Amino acid sequence: MKKAKILILGEVNDDALAELKEKCEVVKGPEGHRIEDDRQWVIDHIADYDGVIVAKMWFDKEMLDHAKNLKIISTYGVGYDHVDVEYAKSKGIVVSNCPVSVRRPTAELALTLILACARRLHFYDHSIREGVFLDTGNYDNQGFNIEGKTLGIFGMGSIGQLVAQFAQALGMKIIYHNRHQLNEDIEKKLKAKYVDFDTLIKEADFLSLHAPLTNETEHIIDKDVFKKMKKNAFLINTARGALVNEADLLDALKHGEIEGAGLDVFEGEPYINPEFSKLDNTILTPHVGSATHVGRYNLTKEAADNIISFFVDQKAINQVN
């Protein structure tokens, strides 16, 4: 039986590809310095492939129209907003994602950003580096406790639920808003209370975003939201940059409408508005939610398993369309 031909686009953990290479013909795509050049290469060659693992490249109608033999796309991560999922479905192409492997490292990062914001790590770190040993007897130089604070979670999927577990262990109160309310047993386990969106943004001391990017959620966090949030509240985003209107966020941070923000994702990645780096009340990381050694190994393995299951076991797993 002829092996399926699989194209890998993006940097993956080669050690986790052993089984995929055994069962399929695996080709790594271009690793150039210009996205436009890489995209054109894919357009010119994608017709040769049965499956693809894709990290960040856009798979839109043009790309899919050239993919004459493509049967499955596995995203390299839980997000799939860079793939035209509905058009792929119309062409009979399965789209799968990787929801399991990213859960723990992303939840850990969200907790890290909560703590870093509360304890003002950026402010302290750069002050020390600039030769200033701050007087912490001064009220303005002190941080915040998180015990007893309210964590508002927008998007209570597997990552949001794990963040809730971490926060519960640290004595935080948990409220959440989701497309659908969780069942009662899960709510009891997490000690989490379902609220409407307006209550979520008004009551949260820390608002942590874990929702997918859709037409409904794009820029859902905007100037109207910031005006309703507590002035001492923090925004945490480890989901998708475009959930937040960044211009509105910058205004809110500069004018004290909220206390601060911990951001791992941005609207125009890899471009980041330089205004963020001028603020003492922000913690910035370069989309590193799953970027641990174990996390990236597991992510590569999960993406590979999506392909293996489809072609070897004739079963689509983690399918999103």
Side-chain angles (χ1 to χ4, degrees):
M1 181 178 176
K2 185 180 178 182
K3 291 183 177 180
K5 192 172 182 180
I6 310 302
L7 176 64
I8 296 180
L9 297 171
E11 296 181 10
V12 300
N13 188 308
D14 287 335
D15 292 341
L17 292 175
E19 186 179 4
L20 183 66
K21 289 179 178 179
E22 177 187 334
K23 296 180 177 180
C24 300
E25 180 184 345
V26 177
V27 176
K28 296 201 71 173
E31 296 181 2
H33 300 290
R34 284 172 49 85
I35 294 175
E36 297 85 355
D37 293 344
D38 289 353
R39 178 178 169 82
Q40 189 57 52
W41 185 95
V42 175
I43 287 174
D44 293 341
H45 294 85
I46 191 63
D48 296 335
Y49 295 92
D50 303 296
V52 63
I53 293 174
V54 58
K56 297 179 180 179
M57 188 174 291
W58 287 95
F59 253 72
D60 53 17
K61 289 184 68 174
E62 181 185 20
M63 190 82 79
L64 291 166
D65 282 337
H66 284 82
K68 303 300 183 183
N69 294 303
L70 197 63
K71 300 169 184 67
I72 181 171
I73 299 169
S74 178
T75 64
Y76 189 64
V78 67
Y80 47 89
D81 47 280
H82 57 303
V83 178
D84 191 328
V85 172
E86 291 306 314
Y87 192 63
K89 183 178 181 179
S90 74
K91 295 178 76 67
I93 300 171
V94 168
V95 180
S96 293
N97 69 342
C98 299
V100 178
S101 52
V102 302
R103 179 175 183 254
R104 179 84 191 195
T106 305
E108 288 180 354
L109 179 65
L111 179 64
T112 299
L113 291 174
I114 290 170
L115 291 166
C117 284
R119 297 308 303 267
R120 306 181 69 185
L121 292 194
H122 169 68
F123 175 50
Y124 295 153
D125 180 80
H126 86 72
S127 296
I128 288 284
R129 293 176 190 275
E130 292 171 4
V132 178
F133 200 90
L134 293 166
D135 176 11
T136 55
N138 184 331
Y139 182 87
D140 290 338
N141 291 338
Q142 296 168 5
F144 303 87
N145 278 40
I146 66 169
E147 184 180 16
K149 299 292 186 181
T150 297
L151 173 63
I153 297 177
F154 178 62
M156 199 59 138
S158 62
I159 296 173
Q161 289 178 38
L162 188 53
V163 173
Q165 289 182 46
F166 291 159
Q168 180 196 139
L170 293 171
M172 300 186 79
K173 300 174 184 176
I174 314 297
I175 59 175
Y176 75 97
H177 183 74
N178 202 45
R179 284 177 294 181
H180 306 289
Q181 185 172 355
L182 301 177
N183 69 51
E184 188 176 346
D185 289 342
I186 295 176
E187 286 188 336
K188 285 182 178 179
K189 177 183 175 182
L190 300 175
K191 296 181 180 178
K193 179 183 177 183
Y194 179 81
V195 297
D196 60 36
F197 183 73
D198 202 50
T199 300
L200 182 84
I201 61 177
K202 288 179 178 178
E203 294 188 0
D205 297 301
F206 294 84
L207 178 60
S208 192
L209 308 183
H210 301 285
L213 178 61
T214 65
N215 291 334
E216 291 74 27
T217 61
E218 184 174 7
H219 284 188
I220 193 168
I221 308 298
D222 60 9
K223 61 184 178 182
D224 294 329
V225 168
F226 295 125
K227 292 183 186 305
K228 293 178 181 179
M229 289 175 68
K230 297 178 180 179
K231 288 191 177 299
N232 61 350
F234 293 89
L235 176 72
I236 309 296
N237 191 5
T238 57
R240 283 291 183 265
L243 294 175
V244 181
N245 183 313
E246 287 190 355
D248 292 350
L249 173 58
L250 278 166
D251 282 343
L253 291 167
K254 289 177 179 179
H255 297 110
E257 289 185 341
I258 62 173
E259 187 70 37
L263 307 173
D264 183 50
V265 289
F266 305 87
E267 283 197 79
E269 295 176 16
Y271 170 81
I272 299 176
N273 191 319
E275 292 300 307
F276 282 115
S277 65
K278 300 176 183 179
L279 301 174
D280 276 335
N281 57 350
T282 59
I283 302 286
L284 312 174
T285 55
H287 203 150
V288 297
S290 66
T292 67
H293 300 301
V294 171
R296 287 297 167 87
Y297 178 92
N298 290 341
L299 179 53
T300 302
K301 188 69 169 60
E302 187 172 10
D305 286 346
N306 287 342
I307 302 293
I308 293 168
S309 179
F310 183 84
F311 286 110
V312 178
D313 302 328
Q314 286 79 52
K315 180 181 179 182
I317 57 174
N318 295 325
Q319 185 173 352
V320 298
N321 67 342

